[in-house]
Amino acid sequence: MTTSDFIIREVKPQDNKALATVIRTVLEEFGVPKVGTAYEDQATDEMFETYQSPRAKYFVIEHQGSVVGGAGIAPLEDHQDDVCELQKMYFLPITRGKGLGTKLIQHCLQLAKEIGFTACYLETMPYMDAARKLYAKNGFQNLDSPMGNTGHYSCNVWMLKSLD
């Protein structure tokens, strides 16, 4: 199986249920708390609707007609207008280790730059080693404290990348 077996496309209304399942399945796999994370976000059940503003986009990874992962960008809540957040990046095991994470991050960051964002923020968990390595490989640097107000108080690794 190669990356050509996977399609990256914009989220559709019919993806909502599958995306919510992907997100919660991955969070459960890694033992992430259900409170203070994407697990309990209303947006997790309404991904299409959540990403319909001009400065927000969500992309899914599809394999043989099934949604197997995704990620998106949106303005960082309660922060300056030129910083976006890489949001809800979750992959089922079938997608991992194939370079799709980098491909999707680059896709999101290119769009963020085109929209006018100058930096991209993200939050994750300290024990999500592969994700942290992926983010670092793509130019994200650790921060000492959170930015904005994501509502994800259980996520205690904060990273930022300049889009200049």
Side-chain angles (χ1 to χ4, degrees), residues 14 18 41 45 54 75 91 112 123-124 133 148 155:
Q14 59 267 32
D41 287 355
D45 294 304
F91 290 179
E123 296 178 334
T124 190
K133 286 178 186 171
C155 296

Coordinates of all heavy atoms in Angstrom, one line a residue, residues 14 18 41 45 54 75 91 112 123-124 133 148 155:
Q14 N -21.4 14.3 4.8 CA -21.5 12.8 5.2 C -20.3 12.2 5.9 O -20.4 11.1 6.3 CB -21.9 12.0 3.9 CG -20.8 12.1 2.8 CD -21.1 13.2 1.8 OE1 -21.7 14.2 2.1 NE2 -20.7 13.0 0.5
A18 N -18.1 9.4 10.5 CA -16.9 8.7 10.4 C -15.7 9.4 11.0 O -14.9 8.8 11.7 CB -16.6 8.4 8.9
D41 N -15.4 17.7 22.4 CA -15.7 18.9 21.6 C -17.0 18.6 20.9 O -17.1 17.6 20.2 CB -14.6 19.2 20.6 CG -13.4 19.8 21.3 OD1 -13.4 20.1 22.5 OD2 -12.4 20.0 20.5
D45 N -18.3 16.2 16.5 CA -19.5 15.6 15.9 C -20.0 16.4 14.7 O -21.0 15.9 14.0 CB -20.6 15.4 16.9 CG -20.2 14.4 18.0 OD1 -19.9 13.2 17.6 OD2 -20.2 14.7 19.2
P54 N -14.5 31.2 6.0 CA -13.5 31.4 5.0 C -12.0 31.2 5.4 O -11.2 30.9 4.6 CB -13.6 32.9 4.6 CG -15.0 33.3 5.1 CD -15.3 32.4 6.2
P75 N -8.6 29.7 12.7 CA -8.0 30.8 13.6 C -7.9 30.3 15.0 O -8.8 29.6 15.5 CB -9.0 31.9 13.4 CG -9.7 31.7 12.2 CD -9.8 30.2 12.0
F91 N -5.1 10.0 12.8 CA -5.0 9.0 11.8 C -5.2 7.6 12.4 O -4.6 7.2 13.4 CB -3.5 8.9 11.2 CG -3.2 10.1 10.3 CD1 -1.9 10.2 9.8 CD2 -4.0 11.1 10.1 CE1 -1.5 11.2 9.0 CE2 -3.6 12.2 9.3 CZ -2.4 12.2 8.7
A112 N -2.9 27.7 4.9 CA -2.9 28.7 6.0 C -2.1 30.0 5.5 O -2.5 31.1 5.8 CB -2.3 28.1 7.3
E123 N -1.6 21.8 19.7 CA -1.5 21.2 21.1 C -1.5 19.7 20.9 O -2.2 19.2 20.0 CB -2.6 21.6 22.0 CG -2.6 23.1 22.2 CD -3.7 23.6 23.1 OE1 -4.8 23.0 23.1 OE2 -3.6 24.6 23.8
T124 N -0.8 19.0 21.8 CA -0.8 17.5 21.8 C -0.5 17.0 23.2 O -0.4 17.8 24.1 CB 0.2 17.0 20.7 OG1 0.0 15.6 20.6 CG2 1.6 17.3 21.0
K133 N 7.2 14.0 17.1 CA 8.3 13.9 16.2 C 7.9 14.4 14.8 O 8.6 15.1 14.1 CB 8.8 12.4 16.1 CG 9.6 12.0 17.3 CD 10.0 10.5 17.2 CE 10.6 10.1 18.4 NZ 10.9 8.6 18.5
G148 N -3.7 31.3 23.1 CA -5.1 31.3 22.8 C -5.9 30.5 23.9 O -5.5 30.3 25.0
C155 N -4.3 18.9 27.2 CA -3.2 18.8 26.3 C -2.1 19.8 26.9 O -2.3 21.0 27.0 CB -3.6 19.3 24.9 SG -4.8 18.2 24.1

